[in-house]
Amino acid sequence: MDKMSRVTTGLSSNAVSGRTMFCHLDAPANAISVCRDATQVVVAGRNIFKIYTLEEEQFVEKLNLRVGRKPSLNFSCADVMWHQGDENLLATAATNGAVVTWNLGKPSRNKQDQLFTEHKRTVNKVCFHPTETYMLLSGSQDGFMKCFDLRKKESVSTFSGQSESVRDVQFSMKDFTFAASFENGNVQLWDIRRPDRYERMFTAHTGPVFCCDWHPDDRGWLATGGRDKMVKVWDMTTNRAKEIYCVQTIASVARVKWRPEKKFHLATCSMMVDHNIYVWDVRRPFIPFATFEEHKDVTTGIVWRNQHDPYCLLSGSKDSTLYQHMFKDATRPVDKANPEGLCFGLQGDLAFAAKESLISSDTNRKPFPGGDRRYPIFFFKKSDPTEQFAHVSSALSVFETNLDCNRMDSFVKTAQLYLLSGKPFAELCDHNAKVARELRRPQVSTTWTMLRIMFSDPANLTTSGLNHSLSKLGSLPLMNSFSMKEIGLGTESRLERSKGESRQDNIHLEPGNSYISNNNEENEETEGSEGQAEYMFGDAELDDDDLYSMEHDNQTEEQEYTLPQEAFQLRHEIMDNPSAPEHLQQDKSDSPHVSGSEAEVTCLTPIESFSLISISQPLYCPDLPASFFCPIVREMLSYYAEKGDVQMAVSVLIVLGDRIRKEIDDLTQEHWYTSYIDLLQRFKLWNVSNEVIKLSTCSAITCLNQTSTTLHINCSNCKRPMSNKGWICDRCHQCASVCAVCHHVVKGLFVWCQGCSHGGHLEHMMNWLKSSPHCPAGCGHLCEYT
Amino acid sequence: MEVQDQESLGRWDGLCSRDISSRTEAMENICEEVMRKVEAIGPMPALDPSSPASGSLPGSDLNDILAHLLMLSRRCPFEDVRRQCVRLLQGIQDLGVRIPRPLGNGPSRFIPEKEILHISKVDTRTRSIFEDAFAALGRLDNISLVMGFHPQYLESFLRTQHYLLQMDGPLALHYRHYIGIMAAARHQCSYLVNLHVNDFLQVGGDPKWLNGLNEAPQKLQQLGELNKILAHRPWLLTKEHIEGLLKAEEHSWSLAELIHAVVLLTHYHSLASFTFGCGITPEIHCDGGHTFRPPSLSQYCVCDIANGNGHLNHHDDWLGNQVMDGSDMSGEVEVLMERMKHLQECRDDEEASQEEMATRFEREKTESMLVVTAEDEECVPSRDISRHFEDPSYGYKDFSRRGEHVPTFRAQDYSWEDHGYSLVNRLYPDVGQMLDEKFQMAYNLTYNTMATHKDVDTSMLRRAIWNYIHCMFGIRYDDYDYGEINQLLDRSFKIYIKTMVCSPEKTTKRMYESFWRQFQHSEKVHVNLLLMEARMQAELLYALRAITRYMT
């Protein structure tokens, strides 16, 4: 006898009726079956055929039926069944097409009783009649079912399905009917006494039907499972088989077994990929009632241990284990499922469903004006509380949108107005800043401006030597050529100093200072009231300079006030003096330290936060490469995204393009893009969303608009699908899409009325419906073009 | 140059239209352009009519167009296009320009041209299929023409191929064609390589990749190993191979991509078998299809693409001394039918013992190897098997040689219907369904005829062929008596099957002719379809099983 390892698990402590346990088999199992009194189980597979007794704590191997010197294919079982009346009688279906019966009462080691080799192909299934002792049914790959009388040496009748291979045969509980399921998706009902033709046939699944099972109590119900991943329950009492329940699983269904004593429960296991056993309540097809997750490879056989005990399930698997699952150890997916539901309505209303207890405990919540509607989702009459789905009743609350805080309007507008490409970088930023400002989102607006400054061209000039000389050249003429307004100059020099980059600058500053002081006086004399204010600020600033307090912090504060004024000054200057623009222009493009002024020049309405930028830029930018800002920008984008403004994150990402793309990992980018695109599509901003998809650099995103670009249409004449060109049918050779207005074939955009399905060229239809409300085809339908 | 390619692409597009007026229009444009080019090069063509290097001359562009016109004049399913192409070519010839002539006789070297359905004489259904194919690709390839014997199958085949190459899928278009090239190159099938080199370039593939696999992206290079094993010894495929592909950091494949690639690889391996098995000739407009170039292999060394450097050992044509005993073939069909009948009747009374059944498979497996390998042995006297494992250029090695190490694949434990289908359809939606239909179509196709006899149930014969091929790949059906194979398939047929499936490049016309002499060509093509699909399924089963094992 083979060595056998027995392991029991300690999942349950001291149960009365057994515990979850398993034992290792020597080989993968194909099928299992229990004897009537539920004390023994037989396991059959290609290389295994054994009987185990079920003891309280463990499986004990009782008998190995694989005997004989040479392994015969008759032992290679596809299916096994223990007779439900005679506990010495077993039947197996062999992969070589043999049907074998075994008599455990035989004294010899070889228990093989009878051998039927009538099938030409693999036998997929054997089934004893539940009450007729000698009746055995088999279903084979060759498309035949055979009924054997065990007292005779040959089959007594053969049933030809006339379709493909038979995958399962099951006797109905009480009468002489049996169901057979086929590889081509059909299920047939036969009367065992009438082998000439089936009583009924219907198509149950697309693709093979791997299994079927009659309901143990309700004789009219048949459950079928197929390769199409569905379990269907059919009511066979009516004239036409009626599908009454359907459960969608995640993999093809290999076995299905009704749960004893529970009218609506059934257990399934799958053929591929998924190793779990599920118990479903067919009325709740979306979530399994219970799951057994012990197996490591696909489960091949499941059987309820006792026909009256719904808590104990046995299973065999390709991973060479035999399990006894106790219901109390099952996983309950419903416990892990989120019991709260949340949904937005069309108008921004929010519906929220949660457990009643949760809602009622919260007294602050205002109920829905129409009354706090409560929907008891599920209710069980049966009393066993541990067995059924938790008694859940939920409360549904609906919250109406407060129109004032409707933030999404600005989202839509922003999405529509933002420019993401097509212009130089700086212009894009300016445009977007303007959009944001107009929508009263100053922070966003500021961010755009800031970005522009950080990443604009001048900032890319990194050679510091060049910077020096340029700044020198740039500033000197400014000071010399015309009497610069004191504050403009003042800041300029101060800025240079704040950079603290070279001695030259500092030296250079001294005369600047003197000029400034001079100019201050001049200014006082020459300028009008406007100058007054400037003077005030300028003065303060000069004080600072005089005091040599050059801490950056200090200056920052200072400039919040001064710089806007400066901007005015400079602009004013430009208009005054025709020679100035040249210098400024030059400065703008060449000298980084003036680019700050540029910002102010272009910005017409300086707002408060604006000054922040003007400082930060000249303070840090000139000798810093744009990449210096990348970490900050990255943080900023993450901040926006975290805050929920993924729009900003994505827009900036697109506008900045290569400047920032490498800084952010692809997954995050993809995540942002998908969120934004999802949002856009919810608001039906298809154009914008497509633009975003197009402009994105993530491969996962760009491929979005390359999928499902096929539109399947049927010919309007013969109603058959058109495979080739959209406008001529292969089969009836008619032009399918003819314009109702001009009667020519439409090869491009075809627009049609959804009411009467007439249509034609987009342009023609538009024109027509402008002048007439009726369908151009003359069908009398009142078409509407929106 | 590329711009020109683009331009010429658009030029032919109009001809694919089903609308006669747009075809006419496109044809007129082409006429104009050709005439312009002819005038431009004026005296050129007279210069050097025999030069094979005309590809480098300025006229090469024109030559390509003329070759294409020639192809259209023969292969276009639209009669008006054919007629106009002929007229145009004649007109050009009258101007003193040398026009190309097609090489070879028809689409197949093995089947006389007159046997194959002529493009102008097909029934409406076949025509519609041809037109579909032409519209999709701008050509009607020789494979389709030969498959035209079996329009039902052809439809399913083209639909699948079209989906694999052109429709939504995990892989980029140029990747798909490149994988096709890799797979075909494995069998040195220059026909398919040429075809897909063109397609590859058309969809914007990088020409550099064509210099060899090591010029292609790392990701594709990694596929080389899988390609090699699948093509020649699929039973050696393990989940470690799959893991290696899926976990290669930035070069790793996704499961969906891998399934796509596997389906493509197996598709082209088996298509290469068909190509050689039916002696498909080069396309008229491709290299070797017309007289502008010598009828040799393409400029791309196929071996390079397959494995970087290696060359398969070219054995002498061992068939020379392997030809049939020449016994009387006259009653061949009748004998075969008699045997089938006998088997059918005897099955019930004559019960073979289980042990006998079990050994029959082994015997058939071993014998199938002996069919060919006796000569193999002579050619390579000292064979060190372990060396072959490392040799990147290894070819088919008989399954039974290492039968001890590789357990038999039991069809009942991992079948296409139950397992393979679910896996493919899960990862590459719809393809499982299409392949399923294609397999069933090939397996179930029958006209109930054998040679001149009608109303014959050929299912037994078809099953024998199918199972014999799976047997060569070590796949065993428990419910099949492999003794039947010996009864139904004679030696010359086995040689043909074995060669075509295992090393298709060695198929010769003599082999094709020496089996089933009395059968019709359409029936031989039918056999080829069976072989092709059975091989594809065998390879797929091994690949999918490895993937399943990786997933569990």
Side-chain angles (χ1 to χ4, degrees):
Chain A
M1 194 119 316
D2 291 312
K3 204 184 86 185
M4 183 188 66
S5 55
R6 292 184 214 112
V7 188
T8 50
T9 53
L11 287 178
S12 65
S13 48
N14 45 3
V16 189
S17 59
R19 51 194 272 174
T20 297
M21 58 185 185
F22 75 101
C23 82
H24 283 293
L25 311 171
D26 306 317
N30 276 348
I32 61 173
S33 184
V34 284
C35 74
R36 183 183 45 173
D37 58 7
T39 55
Q40 295 175 66
V41 58
V42 58
V43 181
R46 170 170 297 285
N47 294 312
I48 183 170
F49 190 21
K50 285 181 180 176
I51 292 176
Y52 289 87
T53 51
L54 288 154
E55 297 186 354
E56 196 65 25
E57 296 287 312
Q58 64 195 28
F59 291 99
V60 176
E61 182 178 323
K62 188 188 167 209
L63 186 62
N64 186 356
L65 290 155
R66 255 178 101 80
V67 291
R69 271 163 289 128
K70 283 187 183 170
S72 157
L73 273 180
N74 291 345
F75 288 110
S76 169
C77 306
D79 191 35
V80 63
M81 181 152 180
W82 207 311
H83 198 282
Q84 292 306 295
D86 181 352
E87 65 177 25
N88 276 333
L89 193 54
L90 290 170
T92 57
T95 50
N96 64 353
V99 174
V100 194
T101 60
W102 311 80
N103 186 352
L104 300 181
K106 268 191 168 183
S108 65
R109 272 187 72 213
N110 191 348
K111 310 285 186 193
Q112 180 171 329
D113 192 16
Q114 270 181 296
L115 178 69
F116 304 98
T117 51
E118 294 181 32
H119 283 296
K120 296 193 183 86
R121 305 282 306 267
T122 297
V123 179
N124 288 318
K125 195 75 190 172
V126 284
C127 183
F128 282 112
H129 194 276
T131 49
E132 297 287 314
T133 320
Y134 299 106
M135 198 180 280
L136 175 66
L137 186 66
S138 66
S140 160
Q141 198 74 16
D142 60 14
F144 292 103
M145 295 142 279
K146 284 178 187 287
C147 182
F148 302 96
D149 186 326
L150 298 182
R151 293 163 294 194
K152 294 177 183 167
K153 288 221 179 309
E154 284 171 17
S155 63
V156 288
S157 45
T158 299
F159 309 85
S160 169
Q162 303 289 353
S163 33
E164 281 178 56
S165 311
V166 187
R167 298 308 298 243
D168 200 355
V169 283
Q170 290 288 342
F171 274 112
S172 164
M173 283 301 146
K174 286 160 189 100
D175 53 17
F176 288 92
T177 313
F178 72 88
S181 72
F182 291 83
E183 204 148 82
N184 60 2
N186 287 342
V187 170
Q188 294 179 353
L189 244 57
W190 291 80
D191 187 315
I192 197 81
R193 297 157 297 193
R194 289 202 54 192
D196 52 332
R197 63 164 287 124
Y198 53 82
E199 295 199 317
R200 187 190 288 181
M201 178 167 83
F202 61 96
T203 302
H205 294 264
T206 53
V209 189
F210 287 138
C211 52
C212 59
D213 194 32
W214 289 97
H215 197 285
D217 309 322
D218 199 322
R219 75 158 71 176
W221 284 14
L222 180 72
T224 59
R227 194 169 72 179
D228 59 0
K229 308 179 191 174
M230 309 250 236
V231 178
K232 292 180 179 174
V233 179
W234 304 86
D235 184 355
M236 310 295 278
T237 51
T238 49
N239 278 333
R240 270 176 65 95
K242 201 174 96 194
E243 181 187 328
I244 45 176
Y245 295 108
C246 178
V247 177
Q248 175 89 48
T249 68
I250 57 167
S252 53
V253 182
R255 310 266 173 182
V256 56
K257 283 274 175 265
W258 287 99
R259 189 175 173 204
E261 312 281 303
K262 304 283 173 186
K263 191 179 177 195
F264 295 99
H265 287 195
L266 47 79
T268 66
C269 63
S270 82
M271 185 77 92
M272 275 292 285
V273 188
D274 185 16
H275 309 156
N276 297 343
I277 301 165
Y278 299 102
V279 178
W280 300 88
D281 186 309
V282 289
R283 296 163 301 178
R284 267 189 95 163
F286 306 107
I287 190 161
F289 173 64
T291 312
F292 299 103
E293 296 168 338
E294 281 85 359
H295 285 298
K296 306 250 175 345
D297 201 340
V298 285
T299 310
T300 48
I302 47 175
V303 60
W304 295 95
R305 182 172 165 185
N306 192 313
Q307 280 315 302
H308 302 287
D309 173 15
Y311 303 109
C312 185
L313 179 74
L314 300 170
S315 71
S317 160
K318 282 245 151 99
D319 66 3
S320 305
T321 55
L322 173 66
Y323 257 94
Q324 170 170 284
H325 309 275
M326 298 309 293
F327 229 80
K328 61 179 185 299
D329 297 322
T331 315
R332 300 301 184 95
V334 74
D335 295 341
K336 290 182 202 151
N338 187 355
E340 278 86 38
L342 186 73
C343 188
F344 273 108
L346 255 184
Q347 308 303 325
D349 294 345
L350 176 71
F352 175 67
K355 276 187 189 165
E356 223 169 2
S357 53
L358 222 121
I359 299 269
S360 52
S361 68
D362 192 348
T363 46
N364 292 334
R365 211 167 296 246
K366 281 183 204 156
F368 183 56
D372 192 3
R373 288 190 222 153
R374 277 136 206 265
Y375 301 104
I377 285 183
F378 224 67
F379 192 77
F380 282 88
K381 296 255 162 57
K382 291 201 177 175
S383 55
D384 191 347
T386 58
E387 255 320 287
Q388 306 297 341
F389 280 107
H391 172 104
V392 181
S393 66
S394 304
L396 178 74
S397 323
V398 177
F399 303 93
E400 283 179 319
T401 326
N402 184 350
L403 286 174
D404 297 337
C405 64
N406 194 346
R407 210 181 115 255
M408 296 326 270
D409 277 350
S410 79
F411 172 87
V412 175
K413 274 196 190 133
T414 312
Q416 285 166 339
L417 294 174
Y418 267 3
L419 282 181
L420 300 178
S421 65
K423 283 189 178 178
F425 170 71
E427 275 176 57
L428 290 177
C429 287
D430 283 340
H431 175 89
N432 293 345
K434 196 169 149 233
V435 169
R437 200 164 52 245
E438 277 161 9
L439 291 167
R440 279 182 246 151
R441 299 173 73 194
Q443 197 193 0
V444 174
S445 166
T446 312
T447 311
W448 280 113
T449 320
M450 219 143 54
L451 285 171
R452 196 211 52 185
I453 292 161
M454 286 173 180
F455 291 94
S456 280
D457 284 342
N460 291 339
L461 249 167
T462 46
T463 335
S464 58
L466 191 62
N467 274 353
H468 286 296
S469 59
L470 281 173
S471 64
K472 232 168 89 187
L473 281 173
S475 54
L476 277 172
L478 262 178
M479 286 186 288
N480 296 337
S481 60
F482 46 87
S483 59
M484 187 72 181
K485 287 292 168 283
E486 76 285 9
I487 293 162
L489 253 182
T491 2
E492 205 156 286
S493 48
R494 194 185 50 82
L495 288 173
E496 268 176 21
R497 207 162 89 197
S498 70
K499 276 184 284 172
E501 22 176 349
S502 72
R503 196 174 293 164
Q504 272 184 328
D505 281 338
N506 282 333
I507 294 163
H508 172 104
L509 184 77
E510 297 309 323
N513 265 341
S514 61
Y515 265 98
I516 288 162
S517 50
N518 291 340
N519 285 345
N520 269 344
E521 286 159 22
E522 256 181 86
N523 184 38
E524 231 177 302
E525 291 158 16
T526 53
E527 293 282 321
S529 60
E530 194 194 351
Q532 281 295 52
E534 284 158 19
Y535 173 68
M536 289 288 282
F537 286 113
D539 209 17
E541 191 182 310
L542 282 171
D543 283 348
D544 266 351
D545 276 348
D546 290 339
L547 291 166
Y548 300 103
S549 72
M550 296 196 286
E551 288 94 330
H552 289 201
D553 290 352
N554 210 354
Q555 284 168 354
T556 321
E557 276 173 33
E558 219 82 45
Q559 289 206 311
E560 283 192 17
Y561 307 99
T562 56
L563 278 176
Q565 305 294 347
E566 177 201 357
F568 260 86
Q569 277 303 319
L570 279 172
R571 197 172 64 242
H572 189 61
E573 200 61 47
I574 290 163
M575 297 196 292
D576 270 356
N577 196 328
S579 67
E582 270 179 34
H583 294 290
L584 280 173
Q585 218 77 54
Q586 191 191 1
D587 289 347
K588 269 185 230 164
S589 52
D590 293 339
S591 154
H593 88 268
V594 190
S595 64
S597 326
E598 177 206 337
E600 287 116 40
V601 172
T602 44
C603 194
L604 297 173
T605 51
I607 52 172
E608 199 175 18
S609 53
F610 206 61
S611 47
L612 265 170
I613 309 148
S614 2
I615 317 146
S616 61
Q617 188 275 328
L619 281 180
Y620 301 104
C621 181
D623 57 339
L624 291 170
S627 61
F628 173 81
F629 297 105
C630 285
I632 303 166
V633 174
R634 186 177 59 212
E635 251 173 64
M636 187 261 305
L637 290 184
S638 305
Y639 165 76
Y640 274 114
E642 285 296 307
K643 216 180 65 176
D645 190 359
V646 75
Q647 177 177 51
M648 184 66 188
V650 172
S651 305
V652 171
L653 201 59
I654 292 176
V655 170
L656 284 181
D658 286 335
R659 299 176 183 88
I660 190 74
R661 184 153 41 93
K662 290 189 186 67
E663 294 289 316
I664 300 169
D665 68 292
D666 288 346
L667 224 69
T668 317
Q669 285 192 36
E670 199 182 315
H671 183 65
W672 291 349
Y673 273 120
T674 41
S675 316
Y676 187 39
I677 289 163
D678 190 41
L679 267 175
L680 288 173
Q681 292 180 341
R682 270 165 199 268
F683 283 98
K684 301 185 182 169
L685 297 163
W686 312 113
N687 290 340
V688 185
S689 102
N690 205 39
E691 190 190 356
V692 170
I693 292 172
K694 228 171 80 185
L695 290 172
S696 77
T697 43
C698 297
S699 53
I701 300 297
T702 38
C703 70
L704 277 182
N705 59 3
Q706 281 156 28
T707 56
S708 304
T709 47
T710 316
L711 183 69
H712 297 279
I713 49 176
N714 284 357
C715 171
S716 60
N717 282 317
C718 61
K719 310 285 184 251
R720 277 194 271 171
M722 314 224 298
S723 48
N724 232 317
K725 295 269 189 282
W727 42 271
I728 185 162
C729 176
D730 307 344
R731 298 199 168 70
C732 60
H733 299 283
Q734 298 253 357
C735 289
S737 44
V738 177
C739 176
V741 179
C742 67
H743 298 286
H744 280 103
V745 180
V746 186
K747 291 179 190 166
L749 280 177
F750 184 83
V751 63
W752 69 96
C753 168
Q754 302 203 331
C756 65
S757 74
H758 291 115
H761 293 106
L762 176 63
E763 217 170 303
H764 293 169
M765 294 307 285
M766 267 163 74
N767 290 336
W768 178 275
L769 291 169
K770 263 181 211 160
S771 54
S772 160
H774 289 278
C775 173
C779 68
H781 186 259
L782 289 171
C783 301
E784 198 177 338
Y785 183 85
T786 45
Chain B
M1 191 61 203
E2 261 151 24
V3 179
Q4 275 181 346
D5 283 345
Q6 287 297 325
E7 181 195 317
S8 62
L9 242 178
R11 187 192 305 148
W12 304 113
D13 262 0
L15 294 179
C16 305
S17 163
R18 275 168 190 278
D19 178 30
I20 187 157
S21 56
S22 50
R23 285 203 302 265
T24 318
E25 195 181 314
M27 200 65 221
E28 276 163 12
N29 288 340
I30 291 167
C31 282
E32 261 174 47
E33 194 177 329
V34 171
M35 283 312 183
R36 207 171 56 236
K37 281 192 199 276
V38 168
E39 281 159 23
I41 57 166
M44 267 302 299
L47 256 179
D48 188 10
S50 61
S51 164
S54 61
S56 58
L57 295 176
S60 69
D61 187 31
L62 176 66
N63 284 352
D64 285 346
I65 297 177
L66 291 181
H68 204 113
L69 280 174
L70 179 69
M71 184 275 282
L72 288 174
S73 72
R74 300 290 176 114
R75 296 282 187 266
C76 182
F78 300 111
E79 214 238 317
D80 53 314
V81 176
R82 285 201 303 274
R83 213 177 40 231
Q84 279 171 338
C85 285
V86 170
R87 198 188 301 145
L88 179 60
L89 283 172
Q90 265 167 2
I92 294 170
Q93 194 173 28
D94 292 346
L95 287 174
V97 179
R98 184 170 49 93
I99 61 162
R101 272 180 306 111
L103 277 175
N105 299 312
S108 164
R109 281 186 292 125
F110 298 169
I111 309 168
E113 193 171 11
K114 62 178 189 308
E115 294 274 342
I116 295 174
L117 295 170
H118 194 262
I119 195 78
S120 55
K121 298 181 203 109
V122 291
D123 57 41
T124 29
R125 179 168 179 203
T126 318
R127 176 195 299 280
S128 160
I129 297 169
F130 280 165
E131 284 176 4
D132 281 347
F134 188 77
L137 288 168
R139 62 164 189 258
L140 187 61
D141 50 29
N142 290 338
I143 290 182
S144 305
L145 276 175
V146 174
M147 284 183 186
F149 279 122
H150 308 284
Q152 290 165 294
Y153 174 83
L154 177 64
E155 193 171 17
S156 174
F157 173 85
L158 287 174
R159 192 184 329 122
T160 312
Q161 186 168 267
H162 182 245
Y163 194 91
L164 287 179
L165 290 176
Q166 267 130 334
M167 303 297 273
D168 285 352
L171 288 173
L173 291 181
H174 60 288
Y175 265 58
R176 304 181 193 189
H177 288 293
Y178 195 78
I179 290 171
I181 296 170
M182 283 169 71
R186 201 58 241 182
H187 285 308
Q188 302 169 42
C189 181
S190 56
Y191 170 81
L192 287 173
V193 169
N194 274 339
L195 217 54
H196 284 281
V197 161
N198 286 345
D199 290 346
F200 173 76
L201 294 174
Q202 268 187 19
V203 297
D206 184 349
K208 255 195 282 178
W209 297 8
L210 297 173
N211 296 336
L213 191 57
N214 37 14
E215 300 266 342
Q218 180 73 29
K219 193 168 164 177
L220 282 170
Q221 289 185 29
Q222 285 172 327
L223 203 62
E225 178 77 7
L226 183 70
N227 181 21
K228 185 176 77 182
I229 297 176
L230 264 185
H232 304 299
R233 304 172 198 173
W235 49 88
L236 295 181
L237 206 59
T238 62
K239 71 173 184 186
E240 280 73 27
H241 291 116
I242 305 298
E243 193 167 350
L245 288 170
L246 294 176
K247 294 203 174 140
E249 279 150 25
E250 79 255 52
H251 303 300
S252 61
W253 291 73
S254 74
L255 261 177
E257 287 173 330
L258 185 64
I259 292 279
H260 194 171
V262 161
V263 174
L264 280 171
L265 285 175
T266 52
H267 179 82
Y268 281 101
H269 289 153
S270 49
L271 196 55
S273 280
F274 181 85
T275 308
F276 284 112
C278 290
I280 301 290
T281 50
E283 293 293 333
I284 293 176
H285 66 288
C286 283
D287 299 347
H290 55 87
T291 50
F292 280 130
R293 302 236 172 116
S296 62
L297 289 186
S298 86
Q299 66 216 40
Y300 301 109
C301 178
V302 287
C303 300
D304 285 349
I305 292 169
N307 47 42
N309 51 0
H311 288 276
L312 285 167
N313 296 326
H314 287 275
H315 307 305
D316 297 329
D317 188 56
W318 44 268
L319 265 166
N321 38 28
Q322 181 56 40
V323 186
M324 313 305 322
D325 32 59
S327 59
D328 59 327
M329 305 304 272
S330 50
E332 194 190 30
V333 183
E334 287 71 22
V335 170
L336 189 54
M337 286 175 64
E338 195 56 45
R339 281 183 181 160
M340 281 168 65
K341 208 170 153 201
H342 181 72
L343 279 171
Q344 203 108 40
E345 286 163 354
C346 290
R347 195 200 297 272
D348 292 347
D349 15 293
E350 178 206 339
E351 192 52 53
S353 79
Q354 289 306 312
E355 291 73 25
E356 172 68 13
M357 293 285 275
T359 49
R360 275 184 195 169
F361 171 74
E362 297 301 325
R363 195 174 60 216
E364 197 53 50
K365 208 168 68 179
T366 323
E367 273 181 13
S368 83
M369 306 312 158
L370 294 175
V371 165
V372 170
T373 48
E375 292 79 18
D376 247 356
E377 221 66 86
E378 288 161 22
C379 294
V380 191
S382 62
R383 174 181 282 112
D384 178 8
I385 288 169
S386 64
R387 187 176 59 83
H388 278 276
F389 280 116
E390 291 175 13
D391 187 351
S393 61
Y394 78 178
Y396 175 84
K397 288 292 165 288
D398 296 334
F399 179 80
S400 65
R401 279 175 200 283
R402 281 171 309 282
E404 305 85 66
H405 311 296
V406 186
T408 301
F409 187 115
R410 303 288 188 149
Q412 267 80 3
D413 290 351
Y414 198 99
S415 68
W416 164 256
E417 287 80 13
D418 291 4
H419 306 92
Y421 169 90
S422 300
L423 185 63
V424 172
N425 232 23
R426 186 185 190 88
L427 294 167
Y428 189 9
D430 298 345
V431 168
Q433 191 61 39
M434 287 184 182
L435 292 177
D436 198 38
E437 279 165 22
K438 191 157 69 88
F439 288 142
Q440 284 194 20
M441 180 67 73
Y443 191 90
N444 294 329
L445 189 68
T446 182
Y447 306 99
N448 295 318
T449 56
M450 269 176 84
T452 50
H453 301 263
K454 292 209 165 53
D455 295 324
V456 189
D457 179 8
T458 58
S459 61
M460 188 178 263
L461 193 55
R462 281 180 280 132
R463 191 167 168 218
I465 296 170
W466 188 277
N467 287 359
Y468 183 62
I469 292 156
H470 279 194
C471 169
M472 281 190 289
F473 283 97
I475 299 175
R476 177 177 177 191
Y477 290 83
D478 287 346
D479 53 2
Y480 189 67
D481 175 6
Y482 285 83
E484 281 183 26
I485 289 178
N486 245 353
Q487 303 265 318
L488 299 177
L489 313 185
D490 61 30
R491 190 169 166 80
S492 56
F493 189 30
K494 280 183 179 174
I495 290 173
Y496 179 74
I497 294 179
K498 162 94 181 179
T499 313
M500 211 194 107
V501 169
C502 301
S503 38
E505 60 276 9
K506 294 178 192 160
T507 315
T508 61
K509 187 171 185 186
R510 192 193 255 153
M511 272 187 242
Y512 176 84
E513 282 167 350
S514 62
F515 84 92
W516 280 13
R517 294 191 183 179
Q518 295 176 330
F519 283 77
Q520 289 165 15
H521 285 293
S522 76
E523 288 171 309
K524 290 193 171 187
V525 172
H526 184 177
V527 166
N528 267 296
L529 295 178
L530 262 181
L531 303 188
M532 170 169 122
E533 292 300 334
R535 176 180 181 193
M536 179 170 180
Q537 195 181 71
E539 280 186 24
L540 257 183
L541 280 176
Y542 276 109
L544 295 175
R545 187 179 67 163
I547 293 173
T548 307
R549 284 185 176 166
Y550 165 81
M551 287 167 75
T552 49

